[in-house]
C-alpha cells in the first residue's frame, strides 16, 4: 500500500501548528507589506496583519515560488511514496496552475487537486483527503474523488466595510461613499472558481438573514430529505472580530441544529481584499455520504 501525504497552503486556514497535529503539510502564502516579504503564520500573525491593514499599509498577495513548492514536495517525498497537493481555487489564484505544471516533473507521484475551493471549504477537502490517505486510498483516486465533488460547497461572506473592495476596484469610490453612509453590507458568494456579488443589505442583521436564507435554500435543493447533518458540514469564518464570530457561531448552530460545525479565521489572502469585521457561512458536502 502506497504511503500518501497531504499538502495544502495557508489559504485553507490550517495553521502550521494544526497542520503538525493533523499530519498535514502547510505551505505558507507570501505577502508583500510596504515592500517587505512576509509569510502567513510564520513571520506574519493574524494580529500583526490586521495592525498593518488598519494602518493603511500597502499590502499585496503573492504566491510561493516554484522552488519553494518543489523544495517542500521533495522533502515530503523522502518519507512518502506519493502526495496530494490541495491549493486554493484555480479561479482565484495562479497557484494551482503553477502546481499542476510542476507536478509533471514527478512521474505521477504528485497529484494536484483543483477542487475550486478556499478557506473552510478548502480545509474540509484537506481533511477528507487525509482520511482517505489514512484508509489507503491512492493519490490519483483521492484527486479524482475531490474534483468530482468540487462544486458541492458554497461560501457566503458579509463584508463590513467597502474600503477594501474600493481599493481592489470592485466598487467605485462614489459607490463606496454612498454605501458607507447608507450602512450597506455587501454579501459576496464564492462558488467554484468565482467570487461574485450576491446581495446588498442594510446592516449586519439583514446580511446575516440573507446568508442564512441562501444556505438554507441550497441545502433544501441539494438534500430534499431535510437531513442536512447527514449530508453536509456547516462552517463559518470571520476576519479579526472573535466576539462577533462567536455570536455568529451560536446563531448558525441554532438555525441548523444537528450539523457538524467548524469555525476558523478567514485566510489572510481573503482578508486583505475585504478587511476586518467580515462574517462568512459555508456548507460542504460530506464525501462519505
Amino acid at each position: 500500500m502506497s504511503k500518501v501525504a497531504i499538502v495544502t497552503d495557508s489559504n485553507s486556514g490550517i495553521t502550521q501548528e494544526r497542520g503538525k497535529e493533523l499530519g498535514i503539510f502547510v505551505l505558507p502564502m507570501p505577502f508583500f507589506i510596504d515592500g517587505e516579504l512576509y509569510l502567513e503564520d510564520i513571520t506574519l500573525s493574524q494580529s500583526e496583519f490586521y495592525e498593518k491593514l488598519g494602518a493603511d499599509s500597502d499590502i499585496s498577495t503573492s504566491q510561493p515560488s516554484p522552488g519553494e513548492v518543489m523544495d517542500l514536495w521533495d522533502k515530503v517525498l523522502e518519507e512518502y511514496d506519493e502526495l496530494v497537493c490541495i491549493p486554493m481555487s484555480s479561479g482565484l489564484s495562479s497557484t494551482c496552475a503553477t502546481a499542476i505544471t510542476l507536478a509533471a516533473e514527478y512521474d505521477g507521484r504528485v497529484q494536484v487537486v483543483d477542487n475550486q475551493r478556499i478557506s473552510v471549504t478548502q480545509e474540509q477537502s484537506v481533511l477528507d483527503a487525509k482520511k482517505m490517505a489514512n484508509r489507503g486510498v491512492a493519490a490519483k483516486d483521492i484527486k479524482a474523488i475531490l474534483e468530482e465533488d468540487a462544486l458541492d460547497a458554497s461560501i457566503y461572506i458579509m463584508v463590513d466595510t467597502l474600503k477594501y473592495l474600493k481599493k481592489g476596484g470592485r466598487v467605485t469610490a462614489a459607490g463606496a461613499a454612498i454605501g458607507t453612509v447608507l450602512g450597506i453590507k455587501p454579501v459576496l458568494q464564492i462558488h467554484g472558481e468565482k467570487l461574485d456579488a450576491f446581495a446588498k443589505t442594510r446592516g449586519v442583521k439583514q446580511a446575516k438573514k440573507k446568508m442564512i436564507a441562501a444556505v438554507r435554500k441550497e441545502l433544501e435543493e441539494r438534500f430534499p430529505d431535510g437531513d442536512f447533518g447527514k449530508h453536509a458540514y456547516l462552517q463559518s469564518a470571520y476576519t479579526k472580530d472573535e466576539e462577533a464570530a462567536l455570536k455568529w457561531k451560536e446563531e448558525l448552530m441554532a438555525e441548523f441544529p444537528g450539523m457538524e460545525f467548524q469555525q476558523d479565521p478567514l485566510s489572510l489572502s481573503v482578508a486583505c481584499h475585504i478587511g476586518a469585521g467580515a462574517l462568512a457561512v459555508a456548507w460542504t458536502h460530506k464525501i462519505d455520504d
Side-chain angles (χ1 to χ4, degrees):
M1 184 175 69
S2 183
K3 190 177 179 184
V4 179
I6 307 301
V7 177
T8 189
D9 57 47
S10 57
N11 289 304
S12 65
I14 299 175
T15 63
Q16 296 294 322
E17 181 180 358
R18 186 156 177 253
K20 288 175 184 176
E21 291 171 359
L22 295 170
I24 290 164
F25 299 89
V26 182
L27 189 67
M29 296 303 291
F31 289 80
F32 285 96
I33 302 179
D34 294 330
E36 186 174 347
L37 176 65
Y38 293 85
L39 297 175
E40 182 168 3
D41 198 37
I42 292 184
T43 57
L44 182 67
S45 68
Q46 286 262 334
S47 60
E48 289 167 338
F49 171 82
Y50 287 112
E51 282 178 18
K52 294 179 183 298
L53 192 69
D56 278 336
S57 295
D58 180 23
I59 300 177
S60 60
T61 56
S62 185
Q63 63 172 309
S65 70
E68 289 167 333
V69 175
M70 296 174 80
D71 284 348
L72 176 59
W73 289 357
D74 291 342
K75 181 181 177 182
V76 170
L77 290 172
E78 289 175 5
E79 183 181 351
Y80 292 82
D81 301 309
E82 301 176 291
L83 71 83
V84 176
C85 178
I86 307 173
M88 70 184 287
S89 170
S90 60
L92 301 174
S93 169
S94 57
T95 304
C96 185
T98 299
I100 290 171
T101 300
L102 296 176
E105 303 295 320
Y106 285 80
D107 297 322
R109 295 183 70 195
V110 173
Q111 298 290 327
V112 177
V113 178
D114 182 11
N115 74 333
Q116 299 176 10
R117 297 183 182 180
I118 192 171
S119 185
V120 286
T121 57
Q122 180 187 354
E123 176 186 13
Q124 189 57 55
S125 296
V126 174
L127 298 178
D128 289 338
K130 182 61 177 172
K131 285 181 186 176
M132 287 188 276
N134 290 344
R135 293 201 306 262
V137 180
K140 65 179 178 59
D141 294 326
I142 294 174
K143 169 184 166 73
I145 291 167
L146 292 181
E147 290 186 342
E148 183 180 357
D149 208 55
L151 298 181
D152 245 355
S154 193
I155 304 176
Y156 293 91
I157 307 172
M158 179 209 76
V159 177
D160 187 56
T161 174
L162 294 165
K163 176 179 178 178
Y164 301 98
L165 293 177
K166 183 185 79 172
K167 267 190 174 183
R170 291 183 178 271
V171 177
T172 65
I178 294 169
T180 300
V181 170
L182 296 177
I184 297 295
K185 304 295 181 188
V187 175
L188 311 177
Q189 182 183 19
I190 301 176
H191 183 247
E193 62 182 19
K194 294 182 179 179
L195 170 63
D196 290 323
F198 178 73
K200 290 180 182 178
T201 61
R202 293 283 293 275
V204 174
K205 188 174 181 180
Q206 188 183 9
K208 287 179 175 180
K209 284 184 178 180
K210 183 71 72 172
M211 290 191 289
I212 288 169
V215 168
R216 187 178 302 282
K217 181 175 184 289
E218 288 190 7
L219 290 174
E220 287 174 348
E221 289 175 350
R222 180 65 180 80
F223 311 112
D225 65 2
D227 191 354
F228 305 149
K230 174 184 176 182
H231 302 294
Y233 300 102
L234 184 69
Q235 299 129 327
S236 76
Y238 62 96
T239 56
K240 190 180 181 182
D241 192 338
E242 293 185 19
E243 186 177 341
L246 288 174
K247 183 180 178 184
W248 180 225
K249 174 182 177 179
E250 291 171 3
E251 292 174 45
L252 289 171
M253 292 182 75
E255 288 284 346
F256 300 97
M259 294 187 73
E260 292 181 59
F261 185 87
Q262 175 72 29
Q263 184 177 73
D264 292 302
L266 274 165
S267 64
L268 300 185
S269 291
V270 177
C272 73
H273 296 295
I274 60 176
L279 294 172
V281 59
W283 68 270
T284 307
H285 179 229
K286 289 184 174 180
I287 293 277
D288 293 335
D289 176 29

mmCIF file of all heavy atoms in Angstrom, residues 63 78 88 117 179 225 240 256 273:
data_model
loop_
_atom_site.group_PDB
_atom_site.id
_atom_site.type_symbol
_atom_site.label_atom_id
_atom_site.label_comp_id
_atom_site.label_asym_id
_atom_site.label_seq_id
_atom_site.Cartn_x
_atom_site.Cartn_y
_atom_site.Cartn_z
ATOM 1 N N GLN A 63 2.349 34.476 -4.502
ATOM 2 C CA GLN A 63 2.283 33.026 -4.427
ATOM 3 C C GLN A 63 3.672 32.474 -4.174
ATOM 4 O O GLN A 63 4.676 33.123 -4.508
ATOM 5 C CB GLN A 63 1.690 32.430 -5.697
ATOM 6 C CG GLN A 63 2.498 32.672 -6.953
ATOM 7 C CD GLN A 63 1.955 31.886 -8.142
ATOM 8 O OE1 GLN A 63 1.741 30.685 -8.045
ATOM 9 N NE2 GLN A 63 1.737 32.574 -9.250
ATOM 10 N N GLU A 78 10.622 12.304 0.516
ATOM 11 C CA GLU A 78 11.676 11.497 1.133
ATOM 12 C C GLU A 78 11.071 10.486 2.103
ATOM 13 O O GLU A 78 11.643 9.430 2.356
ATOM 14 C CB GLU A 78 12.665 12.401 1.887
ATOM 15 C CG GLU A 78 13.543 13.250 0.979
ATOM 16 C CD GLU A 78 14.413 14.215 1.771
ATOM 17 O OE1 GLU A 78 14.394 14.147 3.023
ATOM 18 O OE2 GLU A 78 15.095 15.042 1.144
ATOM 19 N N MET A 88 -5.425 26.553 -3.208
ATOM 20 C CA MET A 88 -6.664 27.310 -3.344
ATOM 21 C C MET A 88 -7.169 27.243 -4.782
ATOM 22 O O MET A 88 -6.446 26.858 -5.700
ATOM 23 C CB MET A 88 -6.450 28.759 -2.922
ATOM 24 C CG MET A 88 -5.576 29.563 -3.876
ATOM 25 S SD MET A 88 -5.250 31.248 -3.301
ATOM 26 C CE MET A 88 -6.845 32.010 -3.580
ATOM 27 N N ARG A 117 -11.781 25.510 -4.329
ATOM 28 C CA ARG A 117 -12.236 25.931 -3.009
ATOM 29 C C ARG A 117 -11.203 26.809 -2.333
ATOM 30 O O ARG A 117 -10.047 26.867 -2.739
ATOM 31 C CB ARG A 117 -12.556 24.714 -2.137
ATOM 32 C CG ARG A 117 -13.697 23.870 -2.682
ATOM 33 C CD ARG A 117 -14.039 22.733 -1.760
ATOM 34 N NE ARG A 117 -15.108 21.896 -2.319
ATOM 35 C CZ ARG A 117 -15.610 20.835 -1.717
ATOM 36 N NH1 ARG A 117 -15.138 20.472 -0.529
ATOM 37 N NH2 ARG A 117 -16.583 20.142 -2.288
ATOM 38 N N GLY A 179 -22.476 53.903 -0.145
ATOM 39 C CA GLY A 179 -22.737 52.670 0.605
ATOM 40 C C GLY A 179 -22.392 52.795 2.074
ATOM 41 O O GLY A 179 -23.100 52.284 2.941
ATOM 42 N N ASP A 225 -34.376 15.522 1.492
ATOM 43 C CA ASP A 225 -34.887 14.765 2.639
ATOM 44 C C ASP A 225 -34.829 15.582 3.928
ATOM 45 O O ASP A 225 -35.371 15.191 4.964
ATOM 46 C CB ASP A 225 -34.138 13.441 2.813
ATOM 47 C CG ASP A 225 -32.659 13.603 3.161
ATOM 48 O OD1 ASP A 225 -32.192 14.760 3.306
ATOM 49 O OD2 ASP A 225 -31.963 12.586 3.288
ATOM 50 N N LYS A 240 -10.888 38.967 12.053
ATOM 51 C CA LYS A 240 -10.470 39.733 13.239
ATOM 52 C C LYS A 240 -11.401 39.674 14.444
ATOM 53 O O LYS A 240 -10.971 39.358 15.544
ATOM 54 C CB LYS A 240 -10.215 41.196 12.876
ATOM 55 C CG LYS A 240 -9.539 41.972 14.022
ATOM 56 C CD LYS A 240 -9.286 43.409 13.658
ATOM 57 C CE LYS A 240 -8.599 44.140 14.825
ATOM 58 N NZ LYS A 240 -8.387 45.570 14.516
ATOM 59 N N PHE A 256 -29.279 25.735 12.243
ATOM 60 C CA PHE A 256 -29.034 24.451 11.575
ATOM 61 C C PHE A 256 -28.621 23.396 12.598
ATOM 62 O O PHE A 256 -27.478 22.922 12.590
ATOM 63 C CB PHE A 256 -27.952 24.615 10.505
ATOM 64 C CG PHE A 256 -28.299 25.602 9.428
ATOM 65 C CD1 PHE A 256 -27.835 26.915 9.494
ATOM 66 C CD2 PHE A 256 -29.080 25.232 8.354
ATOM 67 C CE1 PHE A 256 -28.141 27.836 8.499
ATOM 68 C CE2 PHE A 256 -29.404 26.154 7.350
ATOM 69 C CZ PHE A 256 -28.938 27.457 7.425
ATOM 70 N N HIS A 273 -8.543 41.580 0.988
ATOM 71 C CA HIS A 273 -9.453 42.136 -0.015
ATOM 72 C C HIS A 273 -10.783 42.596 0.575
ATOM 73 O O HIS A 273 -11.544 43.295 -0.104
ATOM 74 C CB HIS A 273 -9.725 41.111 -1.112
ATOM 75 C CG HIS A 273 -8.503 40.750 -1.907
ATOM 76 N ND1 HIS A 273 -7.842 41.665 -2.700
ATOM 77 C CD2 HIS A 273 -7.808 39.596 -2.020
ATOM 78 C CE1 HIS A 273 -6.792 41.074 -3.271
ATOM 79 N NE2 HIS A 273 -6.759 39.825 -2.869
#
